[in-house]
Amino acid sequence: MANRSSNTAAVPEAKSALDRFKMEVAGELGVPLTDGYNGNLTSKQNGSVGGYMVKKMIEAQERQMSGTTGMGAASGMSSGTGMGSTGTGTQL
């Protein structure tokens, strides 16, 4: 059985869109995420970004599956991934 990192993109073409999404979410949460090294951030800060990304992706998928666009100011992320900003201001 080959060792495989769980930190690889299932769709490599989506990496840049996911990176932009991560930076957008970090900005919404007030987490000072940078493009380079982020070892100065706490586990709580990093976890809040990842957790909120997952929450927003699930909400976007549920909207897509139900055929609705949602009530947020933006119904899709600028990269066209369908992961929209809800504008709820909820923080984890």
Side-chain angles (χ1 to χ4, degrees):
M1 180 179 219
N3 284 336
R4 181 176 168 193
S5 172
S6 64
N7 194 20
T8 58
V11 181
E13 298 82 7
K15 182 166 178 25
S16 65
L18 286 170
D19 286 341
R20 286 190 307 271
F21 183 48
K22 179 172 35 176
M23 297 304 283
E24 176 186 319
V25 167
E28 288 179 20
L29 297 176
V31 175
L33 192 64
T34 62
D35 281 334
Y37 176 75
N38 287 292
N40 58 320
L41 299 177
T42 66
S43 296
K44 182 177 181 177
Q45 288 173 311
N46 286 315
S48 67
V49 172
Y52 198 59
M53 284 176 68
V54 170
K55 178 181 177 181
K56 290 177 74 168
M57 286 187 271
I58 290 171
E59 288 173 353
Q61 185 63 35
E62 287 174 344
R63 281 193 303 274
Q64 182 180 355
M65 291 171 70
S66 70
T68 61
T69 58
M71 300 298 288
S75 61
M77 197 172 90
S78 60
S79 66
T81 60
M83 295 176 276
S85 188
T86 61
T88 60
T90 304
Q91 293 187 3
L92 298 176

